[in-house]
């Protein structure tokens, strides 16, 4: 017997235990558990914004600090981004006192839309025809109505709220442990960055060119490829790599809330994201276990447990190990292009469509601060969850009974432990394994 959704709800309501049953319908506009954001607004509406809940009190954060990240995300930055002219000036509506200190209450931030041109969508075939590989058709299939102008919530303009909240997260991470979250364009089609040191590259290195690749030679070749595609009315995709430095060990959980799983959801929620890798990702499948494993050693200066390599990308068993967290996010070519494509109209007619309006020929340069924001938001949320569950009470075990401190910023009290080789004669330790 098949039950309709209405019948299912009716049965639940009639059940004796219905008073204890709560059905929550998610709408997909919120992210995070403790450090939680909800974004709102459409591309051609009055504005877009975010409500950030769970922010710790007493964090100094100014409007200018938030604006820095929004300026890196905004349109009209260069010839390889959309020419839409928006200042994206943020207004902080709540959550801070007059001295720009967080109150621990919800922080609401608004950016008003100023340069929307709805006529580019409403006064031509784009008002009735679906753009191939865009969200037009699926939004209509889901809701039965859609915001035609600018793509509504499917527009990258929605990410303004994420980036604003991500700037707050960035400040918290820096204050807590000097954590840095930096992303860069690592690949445009088949052109890859070749000389980027994940331990040392800076935001200034990334922003030194309009592609946002800290390898100048690769950046030049990437720019040539983007320009070549742009001039034909087409678009191009690639990969953004993000590195989080100084992340302490212990963030994440071993099963459904693995740190890389949370990061994957965060990054895959960005418009045009189509792939995610943690550490070596798919390249790791070409190696043997011996080649892929990150061997441990004791840092001779700090006494902390470290890894000789970082193919795991700073996460093992779903939990951060204190090394650099490295993720890669693949972005498809922009769907709206100025070339003729076959499509259909809302009423089921086959037509040919040529995209109009202002669009990024390559989303990658503006995706860099979006990826940074989502990684920063995820890390703060994981940090607060770790504090709530595992650090509510101090570990009062003796130093020798605790696990050795782990990671780039960890230090063992008293320095490295003497005679670190546990096996007699320094030989290999035998290990019997019985895993499923």
């Amino acid at each position: 017997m098949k039950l309709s959704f209405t019948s299912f709800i009716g049965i639940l309501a009639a059940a004796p235990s219905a008073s204890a049953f709560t059905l929550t319908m998610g709408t997909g506009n919120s992210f995070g558990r403790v450090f939680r954001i909800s974004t709102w607004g459409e591309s051609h509406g009055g504005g877009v914004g975010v409500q950030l809940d769970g922010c710790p009190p007493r964090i100094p954060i100014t409007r200018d600090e938030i604006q820095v990240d929004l300026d890196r995300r905004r349109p009209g930055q260069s010839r390889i981004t959309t020419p839409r002219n928006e200042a994206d000036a943020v207004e902080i509506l709540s959550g801070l006192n007059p001295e720009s200190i967080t109150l621990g209450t919800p922080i609401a931030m608004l950016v008003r839309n100023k340069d929307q041109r709805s006529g580019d969508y409403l006064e031509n075939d784009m008002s009735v025809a679906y753009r191939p590989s865009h969200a037009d058709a699926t939004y209509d299939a889901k809701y039965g109505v859609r915001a035609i102008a600018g793509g509504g919530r499917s527009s990258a303009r929605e990410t303004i709220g994420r980036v604003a909240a991500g700037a707050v997260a960035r400040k918290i991470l820096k204050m807590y442990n000097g954590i840095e979250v930096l992303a860069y364009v690592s690949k445009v089609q088949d052109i890859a960055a070749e000389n980027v040191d994940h331990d040392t590259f800076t935001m200034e290195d990334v922003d030194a060119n309009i592609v946002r690749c800290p390898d100048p030679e690769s950046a030049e070749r990437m720019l040539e490829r983007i320009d070549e595609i742009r001039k034909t009315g087409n678009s191009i995709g690639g990969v953004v790599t993000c590195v989080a430095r100084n992340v302490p060990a212990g963030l994440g959980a071993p099963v459904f809330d693995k740190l890389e799983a949370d990061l994957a959801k965060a990054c895959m929620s960005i418009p045009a994201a189509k792939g995610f890798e943690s550490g070596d990702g798919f390249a790791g499948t070409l190696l043997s276990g011996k080649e892929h494993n990150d061997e441990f050693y004791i840092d001779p200066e700090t006494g902390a447990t470290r890894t000789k390599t970082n193919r795991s990308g700073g996460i093992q068993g779903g939990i951060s190990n204190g090394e650099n967290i490295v993720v890669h996010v693949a972005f498809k070519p922009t769907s709206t292009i100025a070339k003729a494509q076959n499509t259909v109209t809302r009423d089921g007619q086959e037509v040919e469509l040529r995209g109009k309006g202002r669009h990024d020929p390559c989303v990658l340069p503006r995706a860099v601060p979006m990826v940074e924001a989502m990684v920063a938001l995820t890390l703060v949320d994981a940090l607060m969850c770790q504090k709530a569950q595992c650090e509510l009470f101090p570990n009062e075990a003796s130093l020798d009974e605790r696990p050795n401190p782990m990671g780039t910023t960890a230090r063992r009290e008293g320095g490295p432990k003497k005679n670190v080789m546990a096996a007699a004669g320094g030989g290999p330790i035998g290990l019997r394994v019985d895993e499923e």
Side-chain angles (χ1 to χ4, degrees), residues 390-391 393-398 401-403:
C390 298
E391 299 179 28
F393 301 104
N395 185 347
E396 296 179 346
S398 67
E401 291 177 330
R402 301 179 200 173

Side-chain angles (χ1 to χ4, degrees), residues 115-187:
D115 188 35
Q116 61 269 52
R117 297 180 187 172
S118 299
D120 289 346
Y121 298 83
L122 301 178
E123 297 170 4
N124 55 64
D125 293 340
M126 290 174 66
S127 63
V128 293
Y130 298 135
R131 287 169 287 177
S133 288
H134 200 277
D136 294 341
T138 50
Y139 265 58
D140 223 355
K142 179 177 178 63
Y143 297 108
V145 64
R146 65 186 176 97
I148 297 170
R153 292 285 286 165
S154 67
S155 167
R157 194 141 184 83
E158 176 274 331
T159 63
I160 283 176
R162 308 174 189 224
V163 173
V168 180
R170 188 194 293 276
K171 183 65 176 287
I172 293 171
L173 293 171
K174 189 72 173 179
M175 290 176 62
Y176 178 75
N177 200 49
I179 299 169
E180 296 179 290
V181 178
L182 296 173
Y184 66 96
V185 175
S186 56
K187 201 169 187 179

Side-chain angles (χ1 to χ4, degrees), residues 154 268-275 330-334 363:
S154 67
M268 289 296 290
S269 72
I270 299 171
K274 299 299 287 185
F331 288 88
K332 68 174 183 175
T334 314
V363 301

Side-chain angles (χ1 to χ4, degrees), residues 63-115:
R63 178 196 171 280
D64 288 344
E65 288 176 286
I66 296 169
Q67 193 64 49
V68 167
D69 281 356
L70 288 174
D71 287 346
R72 298 176 72 227
R73 192 224 70 92
R74 74 176 182 84
Q77 298 180 41
S78 70
R79 67 178 185 271
I80 60 173
T81 65
T82 171
R84 180 169 172 171
N85 185 21
E86 296 279 5
D88 286 352
V90 66
E91 302 173 33
I92 304 175
L93 307 180
S94 67
L96 273 65
N97 69 9
E99 288 74 42
S100 296
I101 305 296
T102 61
L103 299 170
T105 54
I107 300 173
M109 292 179 277
L110 162 68
V111 168
R112 300 181 191 276
N113 295 328
K114 302 287 188 180
D115 188 35

Side-chain angles (χ1 to χ4, degrees), residues 305-336:
T305 299
R306 298 287 308 281
T307 62
K308 294 180 179 179
T309 54
N310 192 27
R311 298 187 183 94
S312 302
I315 303 171
Q316 295 171 333
I319 300 169
S320 63
N321 65 3
E323 303 295 329
N324 289 346
I325 290 178
V326 182
V327 300
H328 312 278
V329 188
F331 288 88
K332 68 174 183 175
T334 314
S335 299
T336 306

